[in-house]
Amino acid sequence: MSVGRDERQRHLPAGRKAQLAAYVADSGQVTVGELAERFGVSIDTVRRDLDQLAAEGILVRTYGGAVSLSTVSRTDRTVDQRLTVQEQEKEKIAALAAALVQDGSTIMINGGTTTLALARNLVQHRDLTVATNNLLVPGALPSTAIRDIYVFGGAVRALTLATIGPVSFRATAGVELDISCDLALIGVGAVAADAGYTTSNLAEAAMMQEMISRAARVAILADSSKFGRRLFAQVSELAAADYLITDTAPPPDLRDALKASGVEVLTPTPR
């Protein structure tokens, strides 16, 4: 019985990985089990292939599977969809970010699933004042950690479940109150040496800019899938942040640009 070229390639590592990458790109999101069944290989083999493809920047590894780069970069994904992307990486970033928060301090948190993970990681903290436009954050914050919670008003983006409006509050007489914070924790959509920190929505970018301008210290939260990319609206140049908190070391060009801008890069310590 003759075996077709595609069938022969499937059993060669390079050919299998090429077909696997193409399948992930077409499907958008897949599980390890689905790939093992489709390609007739073991779960461990699929995991190794996905790890290598992720290291080569061809796809994004997730807990239990992978997603295509086009899926990660889509701007129309709902919160529920984004919660499944880079879950483990976001938890690592959240734990590092929580370590920067001091008891008794005032922090600002913007919209996004990485900052949502941060809110859950504040369980050991006490006496915090939190101001946010992320509508999911108040419910995620441990009650024992909080002194006061404030939510910025404005229009609600249903896709992100975040408000869009001024970073301000008004007194009863209508006078705008001047506010500031000790630390702004800002999740962004992309980080690049030349473009700085960017996001897909113009109004969100303006709001994030204002949060940064009102903070004594600024921490940018971004997983490694966002390196080397540029989205529609610039939030700020690299130097606007004191810290970049991420899951793995940035590539050399971005690393050098961050160092030149005085940004401290925080990544998990290898076991």
Side-chain angles (χ1 to χ4, degrees):
M1 183 178 68
S2 63
V3 179
R5 181 173 181 272
D6 287 347
E7 186 63 24
R8 289 197 307 271
Q9 265 201 323
R10 174 175 295 183
H11 297 286
L12 295 172
R16 182 183 66 247
K17 282 185 284 191
Q19 290 191 358
L20 189 152
Y23 182 73
V24 175
D26 289 341
S27 301
Q29 184 168 351
V30 297
T31 66
V32 169
E34 175 187 350
L35 293 172
E37 182 177 354
R38 179 174 181 84
F39 290 94
V41 294
S42 70
I43 294 288
D44 287 341
T45 296
V46 170
R47 286 174 177 154
R48 286 193 295 269
D49 287 351
L50 291 180
D51 288 344
Q52 183 172 339
L53 290 169
E56 294 170 358
I58 296 172
L59 49 76
V60 175
R61 193 77 161 85
T62 63
Y63 182 75
V67 295
S68 67
L69 292 178
S70 61
T71 299
V72 172
S73 61
R74 267 176 22 203
T75 60
D76 60 346
R77 289 179 294 128
T78 65
V79 171
D80 286 345
Q81 290 172 321
R82 287 185 289 121
L83 282 170
T84 65
V85 177
Q86 299 287 81
E87 288 178 282
Q88 292 180 316
E89 288 79 2
K90 289 174 183 177
E91 285 300 321
K92 294 174 183 177
I93 292 168
L96 286 172
L100 291 178
V101 178
Q102 299 176 356
D103 287 352
S105 64
T106 298
I107 62 175
M108 289 187 189
I109 302 174
N110 76 315
T113 52
T114 306
T115 49
L116 180 61
L118 159 68
R120 294 192 298 265
N121 272 266
L122 295 173
V123 66
Q124 300 298 325
H125 289 71
R126 297 293 182 269
D127 203 30
L128 299 178
T129 296
V130 180
T132 184
N133 70 323
N134 190 330
L135 297 180
L136 297 176
V137 159
L141 287 166
S143 59
T144 54
I146 301 306
R147 180 175 63 219
D148 294 300
I149 304 174
Y150 299 95
V151 178
F152 297 115
V156 176
R157 288 198 73 208
L159 286 173
T160 60
L161 292 179
T163 61
I164 300 296
V167 180
S168 64
F169 297 98
R170 294 185 180 277
T172 53
V175 177
E176 185 173 306
L177 300 173
D178 185 33
I179 62 171
S180 61
C181 69
D182 299 299
L183 176 65
L185 298 131
I186 306 296
V188 299
V191 184
D194 55 346
Y197 314 112
T198 58
T199 192
S200 59
N201 182 272
L202 193 63
E204 283 187 335
M207 198 167 188
M208 292 150 71
Q209 283 178 2
E210 192 171 356
M211 288 183 183
I212 288 172
S213 72
R214 293 179 179 273
R217 294 184 300 151
V218 176
I220 298 294
L221 283 56
D223 65 70
S224 54
S225 70
K226 298 170 182 176
F227 291 164
R229 298 171 52 216
R230 177 174 187 160
L231 297 179
F232 175 61
Q234 186 185 53
V235 175
S236 71
E237 296 181 348
L238 294 178
D242 298 283
Y243 310 97
L244 171 65
I245 308 177
T246 186
D247 57 292
T248 190
D253 65 326
L254 179 55
R255 179 198 62 205
D256 293 345
L258 288 162
K259 183 177 180 180
S261 298
V263 182
E264 183 178 355
V265 178
L266 302 179
T267 58
T269 302
R271 291 182 180 180

